[in-house]
Amino acid sequence: MASPRRSRESNLKTNLALDVAIPTHFRCPISLDLMRDPVTASTGITYDRQSIETWQELGNTSCPVTGQQLQHQDLIPNHSIRKMIQDWCVAHRPYGFERIPTPTAPVNRTEVMDVLSEIATTSRQGDVAACARSVAKVTNWAKESERNRRRLAFDGMTRVLASTFVAFARASSDVAVVRILEEVLAAMAMLLPLDEEAAACIGSSPESLKRLVSVLRCGDVAARLHAALTVKELLASGGARADAIAATKGMGEALVKLVKRPISSRAMKASLVSIFYMVNSDEKTATRIVDLGLVPVLVEILVDDEKSMCEKALAVLDGLLSCERGRENACGHALTVPVLAKKMFRVSDMATEFVVSALWKLCKDHKGGGRERCLLDAFQAGTFHKLLLLLQVGCGEATKERVTDLLRLLNGYRGRIQCVDTMDFVGLKRPFE
């Protein structure tokens, strides 16, 4: 925490900076802020790079100041103005201005196309060392700026990297090959999302899917994260078949392990999204994931975790409840129904719809005594009144039908059972710690 003295000094500098007039020619004509990376357009007007590139990305082809058509989209760095701005910032440092750093020149299309060609050629020839050097260039460019990442993605780098991964996935499993595969995954992870062609390239290659499982199991922390992100992209893009990915030996186990023993929040979220796509593609896959012990883990996530994680856990849990084994496991956990009831209206509209769907499957589709127990738990947790409120607030047609079914099922408990506060889970036995 900053000391009071340091805070006062910072505030003083800010106030002094506000009192200093920035020269007009140092301000970007678009943002009116001090330029950090001045570039000149074909009309001779200088702008801050971020502002003029945003203008161009919106589809504008004219100069914002003059209104003239830009003869080309190229932007030339204005080193003279940049040096003048830097000198001015140094001279006015006592007033709170810090010297702007000298920007790194962004990668251009010619450079990108040259590296694309190098990667394609070296991967085709099986030259691991040369390919690794070219992939390293891509990674370094991607780290430098968002503009570079957009340039690389726009010029098709993800498709070339996907083809490279497939090419080396078919090679031997020596250390050098494993390393280049991890480096390609790292580069692709910086250029997400994958387009449909890149996803289809990897997703249609059994060898590539097996390599992804291997990295998920045995790679270092960074490699496992990159592999998890890649699998999620394969499933989300629509370019790969979810059933083929789910059927890959060890895929489900590797993803569930990243949820049970997370290496990072990002890897855990990516794994949950991947599992969601897999279990919704096939009931047998859902049953297999349930048998890996994921249901109680999801319930525990719902008890303790933040909203984004809870939404993904609810989506997966709802998918697993589509199979009888999933409903049996969920019904056997004392916290399932109370936690679901608690999450209504507390996470997001989508999460509330997942909650309704999950409760509907437990209370309507579940066979045996478990159904009655779920209905009793739901009523005691205050679900009846929350469902009435949801109807008043409004929801989708499918959700509305399920709410109506649940209200009809729960109505018989009115006057016979007392509701409890869903915030209070004291006394509920947790099956594991």
Side-chain angles (χ1 to χ4, degrees):
M1 181 181 295
S3 66
R5 179 181 177 183
R6 207 171 273 178
S7 297
R8 287 195 298 272
E9 290 176 352
S10 176
N11 291 336
L12 179 60
K13 284 187 174 183
T14 300
N15 292 333
L16 287 171
L18 291 173
D19 292 336
V20 176
I22 300 174
T24 304
H25 56 291
F26 289 174
R27 293 179 181 270
C28 172
I30 298 175
S31 67
L32 302 181
D33 293 328
L34 184 69
M35 291 187 287
R36 303 184 64 81
D37 186 5
V39 292
T40 302
S42 61
T43 53
I45 306 297
T46 297
Y47 302 92
D48 190 58
R49 182 184 293 279
Q50 183 176 355
S51 297
I52 187 62
E53 285 185 345
T54 300
W55 170 266
Q56 291 176 336
E57 287 168 5
L58 292 173
N60 297 300
T61 58
S62 61
C63 175
V65 171
T66 66
Q68 299 174 5
Q69 285 294 307
L70 296 171
Q71 298 175 3
H72 51 75
Q73 297 290 304
D74 295 340
L75 302 170
I76 302 172
N78 192 325
H79 298 297
S80 298
I81 287 291
R82 189 254 307 157
K83 183 67 169 59
M84 290 169 64
I85 292 174
Q86 288 175 325
D87 292 343
W88 184 87
C89 287
V90 171
H92 290 77
R93 188 167 186 174
Y95 298 95
F97 291 93
E98 297 294 333
R99 181 182 184 276
I100 62 170
T102 301
T104 304
V107 63
N108 58 53
R109 178 174 173 79
T110 301
E111 292 174 309
V112 173
M113 298 311 293
D114 286 344
V115 171
L116 280 173
S117 178
E118 290 172 8
I119 293 175
T121 301
T122 54
S123 63
R124 189 166 54 249
Q125 295 173 345
D127 190 338
V128 176
C131 188
R133 287 193 294 270
S134 298
V135 171
K137 289 181 184 178
V138 174
T139 303
N140 290 333
W141 282 337
K143 287 179 179 177
E144 286 177 1
S145 68
E146 175 62 27
R147 181 189 186 280
N148 283 357
R149 291 190 286 274
R150 291 198 303 268
R151 173 85 269 168
L152 292 165
F154 182 80
D155 288 337
M157 184 60 73
T158 55
R159 293 191 289 275
V160 172
L161 290 172
S163 298
T164 300
F165 188 87
V166 171
F168 284 111
R170 295 168 178 161
S172 61
S173 296
D174 59 46
V175 175
V177 170
V178 172
R179 183 61 182 164
I180 185 63
L181 288 171
E182 292 183 352
E183 289 172 357
V184 171
L185 286 176
M188 280 198 298
M190 300 188 73
L191 303 177
L192 300 178
L194 296 180
D195 60 30
E196 190 171 327
E197 184 179 337
C201 180
I202 296 176
S204 61
S205 165
E207 297 87 357
S208 297
L209 296 177
K210 290 177 183 176
R211 291 286 191 172
L212 284 170
V213 172
S214 178
V215 177
L216 286 170
R217 284 175 166 176
C218 308
D220 59 24
V221 172
R224 290 164 71 191
L225 168 61
H226 299 150
L229 292 171
T230 301
V231 173
K232 184 198 77 170
E233 286 297 319
L234 296 182
L235 290 160
S237 69
R241 288 173 52 195
D243 56 346
I245 295 174
T248 302
K249 185 177 180 180
M251 182 66 78
E253 291 81 352
L255 292 171
V256 169
K257 184 178 179 181
L258 285 178
V259 177
K260 286 184 171 182
R261 301 175 186 174
I263 57 173
S264 71
S265 175
R266 195 179 179 198
M268 186 176 178
K269 289 178 181 179
S271 299
L272 284 170
V273 173
S274 296
I275 294 170
F276 169 76
Y277 282 110
M278 288 165 53
V279 300
N280 279 280
S281 69
D282 179 45
E283 188 172 327
K284 290 183 179 178
T285 300
T287 301
R288 194 171 77 249
I289 296 296
V290 169
D291 289 341
L292 294 172
L294 187 58
V295 169
V297 177
L298 294 173
V299 175
E300 293 295 318
I301 291 173
L302 295 177
V303 172
D304 301 321
D305 240 304
E306 45 92 10
K307 289 186 176 182
S308 175
M309 194 75 77
C310 283
E311 187 173 74
K312 293 171 177 59
L314 283 168
V316 175
L317 180 59
D318 180 54
L320 295 178
L321 295 181
S322 296
C323 69
E324 183 61 31
R325 197 82 56 85
R327 293 190 287 273
E328 289 174 359
N329 273 252
C331 185
H333 196 300
L335 287 180
T336 300
V337 174
V339 168
L340 285 172
K342 179 184 177 182
K343 292 302 174 182
M344 287 184 70
F345 303 112
R346 297 211 177 185
V347 181
S348 66
D349 291 344
M350 181 182 294
T352 296
E353 295 200 352
F354 281 133
V355 168
V356 171
S357 177
L359 288 172
W360 182 80
K361 290 171 182 175
L362 286 170
C363 296
K364 187 174 177 66
D365 289 353
H366 192 42
K367 305 294 190 296
R371 177 176 179 272
E372 289 298 320
R373 187 163 61 253
C374 288
L375 283 167
L376 179 61
D377 288 347
F379 190 86
Q380 287 182 319
T383 305
F384 187 86
H385 300 293
K386 289 189 173 184
L387 291 172
L388 286 175
L389 178 60
L390 183 58
L391 282 181
Q392 295 175 356
V393 173
C395 54
E397 285 302 317
T399 300
K400 188 181 295 184
E401 290 179 10
R402 289 171 177 171
V403 168
T404 304
D405 280 345
L406 284 169
L407 287 172
R408 188 163 47 247
L409 292 168
L410 292 169
N411 190 51
Y413 292 90
R414 296 179 68 193
R416 295 193 294 124
I417 303 295
Q418 184 178 1
C419 296
V420 298
D421 186 356
T422 57
M423 292 291 291
D424 185 10
F425 293 152
V426 176
L428 288 171
K429 183 179 178 182
R430 295 165 72 110
F432 66 89
E433 296 296 334

